Amino acid sequence: MKYLYWALPVGTALAYGVWRYFAGQVYVGALPPFDLHLYSFEQAQAYLAGLTPTAKAIYLGPLHRADSVLMICLAASLIAAVWRRGWLWAVPALLYLCFDLAENRLVTSVLETGIPGGAATDTLRIVTGLKFGCLGLAAALALASLWRKRRLVR
């Protein structure tokens, strides 16, 4: 189990590095990928209009695969940090995973079919915001749990 506590964060860091490499290739000017920004309808239209076919293929291919590995490793790392505190402490990390999966489905739909209207952008913005909110809460709980464990060991 000791190795799992080290392997998960290392795997997460490696997945983040791969994800960041591919994410850097799908910027449109100053506009980052959907996963990193709460887009308005107009911004989303501008982003899609400027996205090259090559960047779109990278977004739907290696970027989404790296994102899948990243979200699973990150959620598992956050859960491992709080698991001994009880299952309720793991709920924010599980919600983060669910919202990130939902966000990926929405982004895939938008990239493949375009934006059907402002409601789709609003939904994507809400899901992305919830993803980051749950991730922040899960990270805070993990840090609190690790800090408490560290204080108990001394």
Side-chain angles (χ1 to χ4, degrees), residues 62-113:
L63 180 62
H64 270 216
R65 284 191 294 278
D67 188 44
S68 297
V69 172
L70 173 61
M71 76 173 93
I72 291 167
C73 287
L74 183 54
S77 295
L78 294 169
I79 290 168
V82 299
W83 189 251
R84 293 182 187 201
R85 308 271 303 171
W87 68 269
L88 280 175
W89 282 62
V91 169
L94 292 171
L95 287 173
Y96 153 72
L97 182 61
C98 291
F99 286 127
D100 205 347
L101 288 168
E103 178 192 52
N104 282 355
R105 270 189 248 115
L106 290 168
V107 168
T108 299
S109 174
V110 165
L111 290 174
E112 289 177 345
T113 62

Side-chain angles (χ1 to χ4, degrees), residues 127-142:
V127 170
T128 300
L130 288 170
K131 172 189 82 168
F132 283 124
C134 289
L135 178 59
L137 179 56
L141 290 173

Side-chain angles (χ1 to χ4, degrees), residues 5 47 51 77 79 117 121-122:
Y5 285 123
Y47 180 82
L51 196 63
S77 295
I79 290 168
T121 309
D122 291 342

Side-chain angles (χ1 to χ4, degrees), residues 34-47:
F34 284 106
D35 306 76
L36 296 176
H37 188 67
L38 304 176
Y39 276 94
S40 68
F41 180 65
E42 293 77 20
Q43 288 175 320
Q45 285 180 316
Y47 180 82

